[in-house]
Amino acid sequence: MAVVELSELPAHLPRLGPVVGLDLGEKTIGVAVSDTGRMVASPLKLIRKTKFTADAEALFALMEGRGAVGVIIGLPVNMDGTEGTRCQSSRAFARNLLRLRDLPIAFWDERMSSMAVNRMLVDEADMTRARRGEVVDKAAAAWILQGALERLRNLADAPAPPSEA
């Protein structure tokens, strides 16, 4: 399997089965998971980064425990739409995962996800800075995954273009 465009991801997945969403930070990996019908994303776990192989095994264990069938990784695109070193790091992470396990992977533009999650945690949950630090990465992973799931639903619901006669 290879990294595929988000719009192509459903063709590489079984009809039902959860997918995981990842928010890759410098020190942690926020992990979220969808329900089997891929309607709702929920924060799952925070993996503290050590070595890539150990991090990947922790991720694979979470995926197996939930029966996850695919991965959506947040891609930290710059505000001007360009890709910098953080995007390169996310793409390398995906390539390295594929060396260990054959699974469908897609990216989702995560611009502003951490900022939006932080704002939500302050404004709606009235969460302290210390507590936010514990939950922001997995909440950002859920934000990323939810955005991708909604995009996939919109693509599936879009009317087919008219055929030429």
Side-chain angles (χ1 to χ4, degrees):
M1 185 73 35
V3 174
V4 299
E5 291 294 322
L6 183 68
S7 61
E8 299 169 10
L9 186 63
H12 297 275
L13 299 172
R15 196 173 79 71
L16 294 174
V19 294
V20 296
L22 304 179
D23 180 41
L24 303 176
E26 289 182 27
K27 297 178 183 175
T28 61
I29 301 170
V31 183
V33 66
S34 75
D35 60 301
T36 57
R38 300 184 200 124
M39 300 296 285
V40 178
S42 300
L44 180 61
K45 181 129 175 114
L46 188 67
I47 297 172
R48 300 226 180 264
K49 285 184 168 179
T50 57
K51 294 192 184 292
F52 176 79
T53 303
D55 300 343
E57 289 305 321
L59 174 62
F60 294 148
L62 288 172
M63 290 180 69
E64 289 163 6
R66 296 293 179 134
V69 296
V71 178
I72 296 173
I73 299 174
L75 192 63
V77 178
N78 294 324
M79 291 305 290
D80 65 1
T82 61
E83 292 190 10
T85 56
R86 290 185 59 224
C87 284
Q88 292 170 1
S89 177
S90 295
R91 291 187 185 282
F93 184 90
R95 283 191 306 272
N96 291 333
L97 277 182
L98 290 171
R99 288 186 184 124
L100 298 176
R101 184 116 2 135
D102 186 29
L103 66 153
I105 298 175
F107 289 106
W108 177 250
D109 182 346
E110 70 159 87
R111 273 182 271 195
M112 315 255 306
S113 63
S114 292
M115 185 173 68
V117 168
N118 267 307
R119 182 170 290 140
M120 177 199 61
L121 293 174
V122 170
D123 294 346
E124 297 176 24
D126 195 28
M127 202 171 280
T128 66
R129 181 182 301 265
R131 180 72 178 117
R132 280 195 318 268
E134 297 172 18
V135 300
V136 72
D137 288 332
K138 59 185 176 180
W143 184 279
I144 290 163
L145 181 55
Q146 190 65 47
L149 294 174
E150 289 172 11
R151 176 68 178 142
L152 288 172
R153 251 191 322 281
N154 288 339
L155 289 170
D157 293 342
S163 60
E164 294 183 32

